[in-house]
Amino acid sequence: MAEPITAVYVQEDDDWTITVSGLGKKLTARAPGIIAARDTTDQLVDRIAPEGRPTVVHLLNGSALAFTSAYMTARLTLPEAALAPIEIPPPGKPVKAIKEAPKTPLATSKQLSKAVEEKKPVTAAQAAKKNRAVPTPQKATTPPAAASKLA
């Protein structure tokens, strides 16, 4: 069984200190926030064990559960800017219209050729004018082998 690598997280104000140890090596780093600390841990683990994907045990206050809870709470919590109240105008007050950006012509490479833009289905009159045959829809027929099975 392979030796697990241990990542110990310690919060100091808003920053986190991470100590990663295993395979006879020990590395320490700091990060602003637990999400950044977790990302930093991955980088430290890559330096300790560059080959393969070792088992890493993440600990906060000696507990993997405490780390997982703190990390998932941080990942799933909306940022404060997203919690700002939405302004709803009072009933009857018109909402300001959003100005449309002026239309700019497409680059030549983005424009369809005139042949594609102007191509329309050929009518019978147009086909006769150009002496071309007009495709006619075909009736669906039952193959003879299938017809004999129906009888």
Side-chain angles (χ1 to χ4, degrees), residues 110-125:
K110 302 284 184 185
Q111 294 177 349
L112 292 175
S113 69
K114 286 190 177 189
V116 173
E117 289 179 358
E118 296 174 357
K119 190 170 184 176
K120 296 178 183 173
V122 177
T123 63

Side-chain angles (χ1 to χ4, degrees), residues 26-119:
K26 186 174 184 178
L27 300 172
T28 302
R30 292 180 60 86
I34 193 165
I35 296 171
R38 175 63 176 81
D39 292 340
T40 302
T41 299
D42 287 341
Q43 295 169 5
L44 296 175
V45 167
D46 287 342
R47 287 175 47 195
I48 288 178
E51 296 176 18
R53 298 188 62 75
T55 301
V56 181
V57 179
H58 301 270
L59 301 173
L60 174 62
N61 299 327
S63 169
L65 180 60
F67 170 79
T68 303
S69 177
Y71 179 72
M72 293 308 295
T73 299
R75 293 290 297 191
L76 299 174
T77 302
L78 293 174
E80 289 182 25
L83 300 176
I86 300 172
E87 246 183 76
I88 300 173
K93 186 175 181 180
V95 178
K96 293 179 185 177
I98 299 173
K99 291 183 182 179
E100 285 189 28
K103 292 185 179 180
T104 56
L106 293 173
T108 307
S109 64
K110 302 284 184 185
Q111 294 177 349
L112 292 175
S113 69
K114 286 190 177 189
V116 173
E117 289 179 358
E118 296 174 357
K119 190 170 184 176

